[in-house]
Amino acid sequence: EVQLAESGGSLVQPGGSLTLSCATTGFSFDDWSVGWFRQAPGKEREGISCLRSYDGSTHHADSVKGRFTISTNSAKSTVYLQMNSLQPEDTAVYYCKIVLHGRTMDYAYWGQGTQVTVSS
């Protein structure tokens, strides 16, 4: 079965950096997308970064562009989110998601989430 395991969330001071990891197992698709989402208390979940296997392209939301970078390892079994210049407004639970693109339908899987707290 498909499983996603997130790690790396912690307490960090403003201006600091963190790298989140999402280890994925249980699938073998040629066409897929991976992404990171976050949800702060009292706010809607928002997509912040994604990567597409088709051409390796990436996209980052304006709120994190220039500070966050999504990537994968060489085996494409782990998804990373490098976060720099963290600010209090980045405090949220961060979730990874993978979408497997079948010929006629998509299959989506979510991780459990990892807490990132930015505070002095």
Side-chain angles (χ1 to χ4, degrees), residues 42-73:
K43 300 184 67 176
E44 298 294 321
R45 186 173 299 186
E46 63 171 333
I48 55 174
S49 302
C50 68
L51 183 152
R52 295 177 292 183
S53 68
Y54 178 78
D55 57 3
S57 63
T58 62
H59 173 78
H60 297 84
D62 289 342
S63 59
V64 304
K65 193 174 300 181
R67 300 188 298 122
F68 292 11
T69 304
I70 187 172
S71 64
T72 64
N73 64 350

Side-chain angles (χ1 to χ4, degrees), residues 64-100:
V64 304
K65 193 174 300 181
R67 300 188 298 122
F68 292 11
T69 304
I70 187 172
S71 64
T72 64
N73 64 350
S74 59
K76 296 180 172 59
S77 58
T78 303
V79 186
Y80 303 100
L81 184 67
Q82 175 65 52
M83 305 185 294
N84 299 322
S85 301
L86 286 163
Q87 300 300 313
E89 52 263 40
D90 295 316
T91 296
V93 178
Y94 285 71
Y95 301 88
C96 63
K97 178 186 181 182
I98 182 168
V99 179
L100 311 179

